[in-house]
Amino acid sequence: MGDDGGTLVSERRARAVRRRIVVVASVTYVLAIALIAVVWHVSLDSAGDREVVVGPWTGGVIVAGSVVAAVVSLAVIVFAAPARRWWWLLLGPLRVIALAAAALGGLVLFLTDEPVTPIVANGCETGYVVTERAFLFAASGSVLRLDGQIGTRVGRTEVDDGHMPFHQGSYIAVADGDTLRVWNTVQSATERLSTASAPSFVLPRIVTDTDCGLAGGMNAEEDTPPPPRTPVEPAEGPDPSPASDARGELARMVQRTLDAAGAAVTDAAGAPVSAPAASTLPCDGTTAYDLAIRTDDNAASYAAILDAWTAEGYAKDRAMQEDLRYNGVVRMSARDRSSIDGLMHFSLTADCRAP
């Protein structure tokens, strides 16, 4: 009799614990569904132009996490709910489905990688953040203007090789007057950046009394160092000439590039582009100049520019998404990224030794 009484007490305690677990799981489920409804509504109501941003989490990550929490809570309810034998006809399959759904939800959450990175200019906040998502060899991002916990999309980024320039800090942001100019790497985080080229995008400055002393991005005066010079194989062009003052030739080829475009050339902000004076270019072992330009017909201008370089005696070569020209002194890398940012990108480099 004593044993039966102890068993009965244990069963009652077990049922009480199960009830508490079911109550907690039910509350968690309701809260998760409510959070999904609120966060999703912000995005749906604006056709995807706005989303909730809470610290390092975007609305997409919050929804994914809430879905997992809801599925796990539902699985806990299904497993914790007491079942009579005939109920197993229903609860048995439900428990299997709940386990599979929880595992799938965890995998989806694991694959949902969308970091939120504040854009920092000279160590100060700007009021903008970038959310980035990478898949295989491509990555894209959204530039958001923050108003409290709501971010409004004001631009997009498209880069190669699956790298995330803002998350990796490979960008430069300069707040000047009423504008915020931003440069970011496109090919990889080690790509050379310079404020001498056209910015990747220009935004209105929305923060003046800023929170400074923040880490993020690179200082404009430092830029990124030029990539190490790689020897040119004979099949890729002529042998390198001895280092000399190559600034004149490089400046001339910049002007030749602009002339060959055959139309008015502007930068990303729509301003006319002109070639630099040779004296303004660096000559500290290397010299370089970057162009990011557009015309009324980028495709025709790009082909004409490449033909002009070839006509100047520069050997041509072709790499993945890149056209190369080299004459033993100046090396030019060209990429037509009109489908991504509407610009043609040219990078001119040369060994340089001032007399």
Side-chain angles (χ1 to χ4, degrees), residues 21-33 65-81 98 101-102:
I21 292 174
V22 170
V23 170
V24 172
S26 300
V27 172
T28 302
Y29 177 79
V30 172
L31 291 177
I33 294 299
S66 299
V67 168
V68 172
V71 170
V72 171
S73 299
L74 194 58
V76 170
I77 294 171
V78 171
F79 275 89

Side-chain angles (χ1 to χ4, degrees), residues 49-51 53 126-130 142-155 203-207:
D49 288 334
R50 297 193 307 158
E51 66 175 314
V53 178
T126 61
Y128 295 95
V129 300
V130 177
S142 296
V143 184
L144 305 177
R145 184 186 69 242
L146 285 184
D147 298 300
Q149 303 305 133
I150 304 297
T152 302
R153 182 181 293 117
V154 294
L203 301 169
R205 191 175 180 183
I206 59 175
V207 175

Side-chain angles (χ1 to χ4, degrees), residues 63 205 228-229 272:
V63 167
R205 191 175 180 183
R229 182 179 177 274

Side-chain angles (χ1 to χ4, degrees), residues 21-354:
I21 292 174
V22 170
V23 170
V24 172
S26 300
V27 172
T28 302
Y29 177 79
V30 172
L31 291 177
I33 294 299
L35 188 59
I36 292 171
V38 172
V39 174
W40 216 341
H41 173 74
V42 173
S43 180
L44 292 177
D45 189 51
S46 62
D49 288 334
R50 297 193 307 158
E51 66 175 314
V52 175
V53 178
V54 181
W57 301 313
T58 63
V61 173
I62 294 172
V63 167
S66 299
V67 168
V68 172
V71 170
V72 171
S73 299
L74 194 58
V76 170
I77 294 171
V78 171
F79 275 89
R84 300 182 184 277
R85 289 183 180 179
W86 61 271
W87 267 96
W88 272 99
L89 294 173
L90 176 62
L91 287 183
L94 277 180
R95 288 175 176 177
V96 173
I97 293 172
L99 279 176
L104 180 60
L107 177 62
V108 171
L109 182 60
F110 175 76
L111 295 176
T112 303
D113 182 18
E114 194 174 10
V116 177
T117 306
I119 298 179
V120 176
N122 299 324
C124 300
E125 67 176 3
T126 61
Y128 295 95
V129 300
V130 177
T131 66
E132 297 172 285
R133 177 175 295 175
F135 182 73
L136 297 179
F137 297 107
S140 62
S142 296
V143 184
L144 305 177
R145 184 186 69 242
L146 285 184
D147 298 300
Q149 303 305 133
I150 304 297
T152 302
R153 182 181 293 117
V154 294
R156 293 189 63 84
T157 64
E158 297 282 347
V159 299
D160 293 337
D161 294 336
H163 84 291
M164 300 181 182
F166 292 90
H167 184 59
Q168 295 173 265
S170 55
Y171 73 92
I172 299 173
V174 177
D176 185 15
D178 296 328
T179 62
L180 174 68
R181 294 174 294 146
V182 182
W183 294 259
N184 64 268
T185 55
V186 176
Q187 302 302 320
S188 70
T190 60
E191 180 183 342
R192 180 176 179 268
L193 280 179
S194 173
T195 54
S197 62
S200 302
F201 52 88
V202 180
L203 301 169
R205 191 175 180 183
I206 59 175
V207 175
T208 52
D209 297 327
T210 59
D211 181 13
C212 293
L214 305 177
M218 295 176 289
N219 292 329
E221 62 271 14
E222 294 177 356
D223 292 354
T224 55
R229 182 179 177 274
T230 56
V232 178
E233 298 295 334
E236 296 178 351
D239 293 331
S241 300
S244 60
D245 190 344
R247 290 177 293 180
E249 174 66 6
L250 191 143
R252 186 182 75 83
M253 290 310 298
V254 173
Q255 184 62 59
R256 185 75 180 91
T257 299
L258 298 176
D259 293 340
V265 179
T266 60
D267 60 17
V273 177
S274 58
S279 60
T280 64
L281 296 173
C283 187
D284 50 5
T286 60
T287 186
Y289 195 79
D290 294 329
L291 284 170
I293 57 176
R294 62 159 57 100
T295 67
D296 292 336
D297 189 344
N298 277 3
S301 295
Y302 187 77
I305 289 170
L306 294 182
D307 289 343
W309 277 79
T310 302
E312 288 280 346
Y314 281 74
K316 60 182 178 179
D317 195 10
R318 176 70 183 171
M320 184 178 295
Q321 300 179 343
E322 181 181 26
D323 290 286
L324 306 173
R325 297 293 185 273
Y326 185 58
N327 74 338
V329 178
V330 176
R331 181 183 295 104
M332 188 270 288
S333 166
R335 299 173 187 269
D336 185 1
R337 304 188 63 81
S338 299
S339 61
I340 297 176
D341 59 8
L343 299 170
M344 298 175 287
H345 295 260
F346 302 92
S347 179
L348 286 70
T349 59
D351 292 336
C352 190
R353 181 175 299 167

